[in-house]
Amino acid sequence: MLQKFGFTQYESQVFEVLTASVEPLDATTVGKYSQVPKSKVYEVLNRLIDKGLLKSSFTNRRKLYTALPLDATIQKLTTEFEANVEELKNKEYTLTQNDDRVWTIQDATTISSVSGELLKSAQSSIYISGWSDDLADHLPLLEKKQEEGVTVELLSVGAMHTKLNEAHILVPDRNHQALERHQLLIIDEKEIVLAGVEHDEWQGIQTQSSPLVKFFTEFFYHDVALTEITKKYEETLKEDDQLQSILMKLRY
């Protein structure tokens, strides 16, 4: 009967022995008659106690066990089964959609609007990078989200004054060859908007594709690391022509 209710064979054997016994039994005696291995007896007894099918008591420094009356056990299992069935009837199931599609977005206004709506929806984290003047419109909302408990981390190309706790500022060198207008937004590590300027027009993509989200999250921290390393060791890097040449070619 117990196995039909999802109990293990060992649990059933132990319960049967204790139900058949007129007197409470200790663990050694339970193991002897139930044929449950000694190494498992205490574990099985404790599981049955947790499930409310056994009672235990210390008598003369011995811990004794006894089963609930069979009628009480049947009533308990029946009540729990009926409650589970009722919960199953009332439970609403929805299929989680995994949208791996990559959507293209055109023009600066649309990209800014889409980014703004995503920022409003953020529940746990926001990672955003771009040029300071492009990020300025989003700054009040970013600071508000931080006040609400959302983790906000920003990487700005160009000076920016902000209340954000995690703000990384890259002041570009005039010799930089590869700096281009861009914006990367990662929401809750689940969705990204990536945009850049091509032929003087903003173009971008939006996606929830897990591989792309993971890749661009790592890309974001790659840029953060380069920014902080450059700031900390700026003088040293300037003295090394080879490293300076490489840094000037990096696309932040």
Side-chain angles (χ1 to χ4, degrees), residues 145-158:
K145 280 292 182 179
Q146 178 176 269
E147 292 174 0
E148 293 173 356
V150 175
T151 298
V152 180
E153 193 159 359
L154 174 144
L155 172 59
S156 170
V157 180

Side-chain angles (χ1 to χ4, degrees), residues 161-180:
H161 298 287
T162 175
K163 300 176 183 177
L164 295 175
N165 299 328
E166 296 291 336
H168 311 276
I169 309 299
L170 169 68
V171 178
D173 189 289
R174 67 181 63 183
N175 296 318
H176 252 117
Q177 303 169 22
L179 284 179
E180 295 180 353

Side-chain angles (χ1 to χ4, degrees), residues 23-196:
E23 299 293 331
L25 303 176
D26 60 18
T28 302
T29 306
V30 170
K32 175 182 176 182
Y33 287 106
S34 67
Q35 298 183 339
V36 172
K38 290 182 180 180
S39 60
K40 294 286 186 181
V41 170
Y42 284 103
E43 178 187 336
V44 174
L45 287 166
N46 288 332
R47 286 207 306 263
L48 288 171
I49 289 173
D50 290 341
K51 292 176 180 180
L53 298 186
L54 298 187
K55 297 182 288 186
S56 64
S57 176
F58 278 98
T59 303
N60 297 326
R61 297 184 179 180
R62 295 169 62 214
K63 190 171 185 179
L64 301 177
Y65 302 87
T66 187
L68 289 182
L70 191 55
D71 287 345
T73 299
I74 292 171
Q75 181 61 45
K76 169 184 167 57
L77 295 177
T78 301
T79 301
E80 291 177 352
F81 179 78
E82 290 174 348
N84 291 335
V85 169
E86 193 63 28
E87 181 181 352
L88 185 61
K89 286 180 181 178
N90 297 324
K91 189 171 181 64
E92 295 183 3
Y93 294 92
T94 57
L95 183 63
T96 301
Q97 297 294 331
N98 185 18
D99 188 357
D100 288 335
R101 290 170 293 189
V102 178
W103 302 94
T104 59
I105 315 171
Q106 301 289 340
D107 81 66
T109 305
T110 302
I111 292 167
S112 179
S113 177
V114 169
S115 298
E117 289 303 311
L118 281 178
L119 286 171
K120 292 176 184 176
S121 71
Q123 299 293 316
S124 59
S125 65
I126 298 170
Y127 308 133
I128 186 169
S129 68
W131 287 55
S132 56
D133 52 350
D134 294 324
L135 297 178
D137 289 342
H138 297 308
L139 196 55
L141 181 54
L142 291 170
E143 293 176 346
K144 179 182 178 184
K145 280 292 182 179
Q146 178 176 269
E147 292 174 0
E148 293 173 356
V150 175
T151 298
V152 180
E153 193 159 359
L154 174 144
L155 172 59
S156 170
V157 180
M160 174 177 281
H161 298 287
T162 175
K163 300 176 183 177
L164 295 175
N165 299 328
E166 296 291 336
H168 311 276
I169 309 299
L170 169 68
V171 178
D173 189 289
R174 67 181 63 183
N175 296 318
H176 252 117
Q177 303 169 22
L179 284 179
E180 295 180 353
R181 290 273 172 177
H182 75 279
Q183 181 177 305
L184 173 61
L185 174 62
I186 306 166
I187 300 295
D188 297 335
E189 298 188 28
K190 293 179 180 179
E191 187 167 3
I192 66 167
V193 171
L194 174 66

